[in-house]
Amino acid sequence: MTFARRDYRAVVVGAGIIGLYTAYHLARRGAGPVLVVDRGFLSSGGSGRNGGGVRQQWETRGTIRLAREAVAAYRRFGRDFGTNVWFRQGGYLFLAEGPAELERLARVHEVVRSEGLPSQLLTAEQVAERVPGIAPGSVVGGSFLASDGTVYPFPAVWGLYEAVRALGVEVVLGVSALGVRAEQGRVQGVETSAGPAGAPTVVNAAGGWSAEFSRACGLEVPNVATRHEILATEPMKPFLDPMVVRASDGLYFSQTMRGELVGGLTVPHEPGTRRGVPSSPRFVTAMARALVGLLPRLRGLGVLRAWAGFYDDSPDGLPVIGEDPRLGGFVHANGFGGHGFMLAPSASERVARAVLAEPVDLDPKEFSPARFLGSGAAPSRERLQLG
Ligand SMILES: Cc1cc2nc3c(=O)[nH]c(=O)nc-3n(C[C@H](O)[C@H](O)[C@H](O)COP(=O)(O)OP(=O)(O)OC[C@H]3O[C@@H](n4cnc5c(N)ncnc54)[C@H](O)[C@@H]3O)c2cc1C
């Protein structure tokens, strides 16, 4: 038999950063036996394909608060888990190309500051000091928060994997969750490619495939998987501390400690997972143009590799966290778009609370799955998306 037990307190579908962090919070709370299944290998989903950006500059207060907690968690990750995730707080610098964008950034800056985070509005000259070589006249200013930064995603996933197993969580790779067994509107267990696993709760942490798993369980959801591309250049002498982002075209890039520039840009693709995650010449060309346009000194720099992954987009740009009102014990932990890594430590703590039916301190208008079910709740929206 593939599973060590017949029955669990919870089965988590997906061993990405969200599923593993959820399992960690459950285990730390002494929830009882937890099983995590993943049909791929560790880091095969978005958690092994992202830019590692961790920022607290957002339009919505709920997201800022989760991100702020997550920054604190990544700062102590090494102590908590014994693994170095190379969290480097070089800041996030949003560029404004014109007055309208600067005004928008100023509004975000006000919200961020009112949450107690010392973001700064920068002049074009101050931007140029932080982005050496930026093309003259390319920006009118920017906003900057020094405590934002980047992590290296792989050790975060591996570190959590080791940590949850040490806490007694069973993680089984190469097993697909096919659906749930439900009676009288409540989850009783999960059907998998390795047989059934009994549990009163299932957590849908399936990333870009979360909508497919929800539907396999009879639940229609509005999440859409979108393919996003990213690349790494040849290494350069270190010159750039912050993650640099431009909201108008979703351009973002940072310099890793090995000197490579890693970044992406929005290039639309057919929604859904059907075509997998290939890279496209269209992206590499658009990204090269955008980078060289902004930083002419990058002309001639080689691209080492390019890859892609799925965002799991919700209609309002906010994650979906909590029990589905249509099926007791079915807990959503998805819809993280391009920011699941940076919200994982704190968001998944709320997922664990939802599993244990403890109060969750998140505004249901922003995070609950019920917000898409025609409850009439006033919509919130997070538009500061990248990539
Ligand atoms: C190019 C790119 C750049 C990004 N940059 C950033 C960034 O800078 N900062 C940031 O915070 N976020 C970023 N993201 C987003 C981030 O990577 C994701 O939000 C995050 O990794 C989601 O984690 P997850 O655990 O929900 O999903 P995943 O890591 O995708 O894990 C889901 C897992 O579920 C498994 N699975 C799916 N269906 C089933 C099933 N039926 N049965 C069993 N297993 C199943 C999959 O195999 C997968 O391993 C980026 C994403 C991409 C693609």
PDB file of all heavy atoms in Angstrom, residues 195-208:
ATOM      1  N   GLY A 195      -5.074   4.743  -4.764  1.00  0.00           N
ATOM      2  CA  GLY A 195      -6.154   4.235  -3.902  1.00  0.00           C
ATOM      3  C   GLY A 195      -6.726   5.338  -3.030  1.00  0.00           C
ATOM      4  O   GLY A 195      -6.277   6.482  -3.063  1.00  0.00           O
ATOM      5  N   PRO A 196      -7.720   4.982  -2.200  1.00  0.00           N
ATOM      6  CA  PRO A 196      -8.384   6.006  -1.395  1.00  0.00           C
ATOM      7  C   PRO A 196      -7.601   6.349  -0.130  1.00  0.00           C
ATOM      8  O   PRO A 196      -6.828   5.546   0.379  1.00  0.00           O
ATOM      9  CB  PRO A 196      -9.711   5.340  -1.024  1.00  0.00           C
ATOM     10  CG  PRO A 196      -9.431   3.866  -1.065  1.00  0.00           C
ATOM     11  CD  PRO A 196      -8.332   3.647  -2.057  1.00  0.00           C
ATOM     12  N   ALA A 197      -7.811   7.580   0.348  1.00  0.00           N
ATOM     13  CA  ALA A 197      -7.278   7.999   1.647  1.00  0.00           C
ATOM     14  C   ALA A 197      -8.417   8.693   2.380  1.00  0.00           C
ATOM     15  O   ALA A 197      -8.965   9.674   1.878  1.00  0.00           O
ATOM     16  CB  ALA A 197      -6.094   8.958   1.461  1.00  0.00           C
ATOM     17  N   GLY A 198      -8.795   8.157   3.527  1.00  0.00           N
ATOM     18  CA  GLY A 198      -9.908   8.744   4.284  1.00  0.00           C
ATOM     19  C   GLY A 198      -9.475  10.026   4.970  1.00  0.00           C
ATOM     20  O   GLY A 198      -8.352  10.108   5.477  1.00  0.00           O
ATOM     21  N   ALA A 199     -10.340  11.036   4.965  1.00  0.00           N
ATOM     22  CA  ALA A 199     -10.049  12.295   5.672  1.00  0.00           C
ATOM     23  C   ALA A 199     -11.298  13.175   5.651  1.00  0.00           C
ATOM     24  O   ALA A 199     -11.996  13.205   4.636  1.00  0.00           O
ATOM     25  CB  ALA A 199      -8.896  13.060   5.019  1.00  0.00           C
ATOM     26  N   PRO A 200     -11.565  13.888   6.739  1.00  0.00           N
ATOM     27  CA  PRO A 200     -12.705  14.819   6.728  1.00  0.00           C
ATOM     28  C   PRO A 200     -12.386  16.135   6.027  1.00  0.00           C
ATOM     29  O   PRO A 200     -13.280  16.954   5.830  1.00  0.00           O
ATOM     30  CB  PRO A 200     -12.963  15.054   8.223  1.00  0.00           C
ATOM     31  CG  PRO A 200     -11.622  14.852   8.869  1.00  0.00           C
ATOM     32  CD  PRO A 200     -10.894  13.823   8.049  1.00  0.00           C
ATOM     33  N   THR A 201     -11.116  16.327   5.678  1.00  0.00           N
ATOM     34  CA  THR A 201     -10.732  17.592   5.033  1.00  0.00           C
ATOM     35  C   THR A 201      -9.747  17.332   3.903  1.00  0.00           C
ATOM     36  O   THR A 201      -8.808  16.546   4.056  1.00  0.00           O
ATOM     37  CB  THR A 201     -10.005  18.533   6.036  1.00  0.00           C
ATOM     38  OG1 THR A 201     -10.639  18.457   7.291  1.00  0.00           O
ATOM     39  CG2 THR A 201     -10.019  19.962   5.553  1.00  0.00           C
ATOM     40  N   VAL A 202      -9.971  18.040   2.808  1.00  0.00           N
ATOM     41  CA  VAL A 202      -8.985  18.044   1.737  1.00  0.00           C
ATOM     42  C   VAL A 202      -8.630  19.494   1.450  1.00  0.00           C
ATOM     43  O   VAL A 202      -9.494  20.372   1.486  1.00  0.00           O
ATOM     44  CB  VAL A 202      -9.512  17.325   0.466  1.00  0.00           C
ATOM     45  CG1 VAL A 202     -10.776  17.976  -0.072  1.00  0.00           C
ATOM     46  CG2 VAL A 202      -8.452  17.308  -0.635  1.00  0.00           C
ATOM     47  N   VAL A 203      -7.344  19.743   1.239  1.00  0.00           N
ATOM     48  CA  VAL A 203      -6.884  21.102   0.921  1.00  0.00           C
ATOM     49  C   VAL A 203      -6.481  21.121  -0.544  1.00  0.00           C
ATOM     50  O   VAL A 203      -5.620  20.347  -0.964  1.00  0.00           O
ATOM     51  CB  VAL A 203      -5.672  21.503   1.806  1.00  0.00           C
ATOM     52  CG1 VAL A 203      -5.150  22.884   1.407  1.00  0.00           C
ATOM     53  CG2 VAL A 203      -6.055  21.480   3.278  1.00  0.00           C
ATOM     54  N   ASN A 204      -7.114  22.005  -1.304  1.00  0.00           N
ATOM     55  CA  ASN A 204      -6.769  22.126  -2.716  1.00  0.00           C
ATOM     56  C   ASN A 204      -5.652  23.153  -2.877  1.00  0.00           C
ATOM     57  O   ASN A 204      -5.890  24.348  -2.998  1.00  0.00           O
ATOM     58  CB  ASN A 204      -8.001  22.525  -3.539  1.00  0.00           C
ATOM     59  CG  ASN A 204      -7.681  22.649  -5.032  1.00  0.00           C
ATOM     60  OD1 ASN A 204      -6.517  22.525  -5.441  1.00  0.00           O
ATOM     61  ND2 ASN A 204      -8.685  22.902  -5.842  1.00  0.00           N
ATOM     62  N   ALA A 205      -4.411  22.638  -2.847  1.00  0.00           N
ATOM     63  CA  ALA A 205      -3.225  23.480  -3.039  1.00  0.00           C
ATOM     64  C   ALA A 205      -2.543  23.051  -4.337  1.00  0.00           C
ATOM     65  O   ALA A 205      -1.326  22.872  -4.388  1.00  0.00           O
ATOM     66  CB  ALA A 205      -2.280  23.340  -1.850  1.00  0.00           C
ATOM     67  N   ALA A 206      -3.352  22.881  -5.376  1.00  0.00           N
ATOM     68  CA  ALA A 206      -2.848  22.316  -6.633  1.00  0.00           C
ATOM     69  C   ALA A 206      -2.348  23.377  -7.603  1.00  0.00           C
ATOM     70  O   ALA A 206      -2.146  23.097  -8.791  1.00  0.00           O
ATOM     71  CB  ALA A 206      -3.912  21.441  -7.280  1.00  0.00           C
ATOM     72  N   GLY A 207      -2.126  24.598  -7.138  1.00  0.00           N
ATOM     73  CA  GLY A 207      -1.521  25.638  -7.975  1.00  0.00           C
ATOM     74  C   GLY A 207      -2.306  25.842  -9.260  1.00  0.00           C
ATOM     75  O   GLY A 207      -3.537  25.954  -9.254  1.00  0.00           O
ATOM     76  N   GLY A 208      -1.602  25.875 -10.390  1.00  0.00           N
ATOM     77  CA  GLY A 208      -2.241  26.119 -11.688  1.00  0.00           C
ATOM     78  C   GLY A 208      -3.283  25.076 -12.062  1.00  0.00           C
ATOM     79  O   GLY A 208      -4.077  25.285 -12.977  1.00  0.00           O
TER      80      GLY A 208
END
